[in-house]
Amino acid sequence: MAAGTATGLAGGYSQKQLVTFVWTGQGLLAVVALWGSTELADRIRTGDVASDLLRPVHPITMYLAADVGRAGHAVLTRFVPPVLTGLLFFDVYLPRQWFTAPLFVLSTGLAVLLCFACRFLVNSVAYWLTDIRGPMIAWMIGSGVLGGLFFPLRFLPEPLMVALWVATPFPGMLQTPLDVLVERDAPALRGGLVALQVMWAGLLLTACVMVQRRAERRLVIQGG
């Protein structure tokens, strides 16, 4: 049954919440760039990454700044149109608490950081593997399923859902900001989910720095 004609609750969502979840999710997908590109991996493969290492800006800072700019552009061109379409043609859920909007903006920004860090790590595999098509395919499938793109993670059995939320960063890339927006949970729990995003963003960005440092030493050993 389609969300627009459903009645009752599904996974704890009302009909309006599901409609908002779907339409906002389509726009948010472009903002976080869940699947992104292989630009870094391509530069590593061709050797062009050597010029990145000569610049006064750290490679992670450089690529992150570019990704934040891309996300900002996507908000205007890819996020706003689907949301406006949903507002015009469907009965959507409008937040009822004043702090939902700023919390959603914060959660979306953290989702961009999380997704960037994961994509940077996947691309960095090219320092060790010439061809990253395998890791990239695994990332595309895994991030879509575990991030809440194909279906809300609330549809899963609760023990599995909680394990995914706590033990992996994937829900923080789509599911968390969408649940914050539709006010799926109590305020304290929504704040806790955003706190999980902060934790994972710190861990993953730290991992990016460590991997980049290790990769640079490897390039020196190879004479790159």
Side-chain angles (χ1 to χ4, degrees):
M1 182 179 293
T5 59
T7 58
L9 297 178
Y13 300 97
S14 68
Q15 171 190 330
K16 291 183 178 181
Q17 286 174 320
L18 278 177
V19 170
T20 302
F21 189 102
V22 171
W23 280 103
T24 307
Q26 291 303 305
L28 200 60
L29 176 62
V31 175
V32 301
L34 195 63
W35 296 322
S37 69
T38 58
E39 178 186 358
L40 175 59
D42 293 337
R43 292 181 66 81
I44 295 171
R45 180 176 54 81
T46 60
D48 291 338
V49 71
S51 63
D52 296 339
L53 304 179
L54 297 176
R55 295 172 180 170
V57 180
H58 194 280
I60 296 177
T61 303
M62 179 183 68
Y63 281 102
L64 177 57
D67 198 60
V68 170
R70 175 210 55 76
H73 181 264
V75 168
L76 299 176
T77 60
R78 301 288 300 278
F79 178 80
V80 174
V83 172
L84 289 180
T85 300
L87 285 171
L88 289 174
F89 297 103
F90 293 90
D91 191 12
V92 301
Y93 180 88
L94 298 177
R96 300 169 184 173
Q97 297 166 322
W98 67 267
F99 55 83
T100 294
L103 191 62
F104 171 70
V105 172
L106 173 61
S107 182
T108 299
L110 291 168
V112 171
L113 284 178
L114 282 172
C115 197
F116 163 79
C118 287
R119 286 188 280 105
F120 188 92
L121 291 172
V122 173
N123 274 262
S124 295
V125 174
Y127 282 114
W128 289 268
L129 299 177
T130 304
D131 191 343
I132 69 160
R133 282 179 294 181
M136 201 66 189
I137 292 174
W139 156 254
M140 291 173 64
I141 297 175
S143 61
V145 174
L146 304 179
L149 173 63
F150 301 138
F151 57 87
L153 297 181
R154 305 288 186 149
F155 290 175
L156 296 173
E158 185 172 354
L160 177 58
M161 177 196 68
V162 173
L164 286 176
W165 230 304
V166 175
T168 76
F170 296 108
M173 298 177 199
L174 281 176
Q175 184 76 38
T176 295
L178 292 173
D179 277 354
V180 166
L181 179 64
V182 301
E183 299 175 338
R184 168 61 175 72
D185 304 295
L189 182 52
R190 277 179 276 155
L193 294 178
V194 174
L196 272 177
Q197 286 182 291
V198 174
M199 180 199 75
W200 276 111
L203 290 174
L204 289 173
L205 288 174
T206 300
C208 288
V209 172
M210 295 175 64
V211 168
Q212 180 65 29
R213 187 178 303 154
R214 180 71 177 270
E216 289 175 8
R217 288 203 297 266
R218 178 179 177 82
L219 285 178
V220 171
I221 292 172
Q222 290 179 335

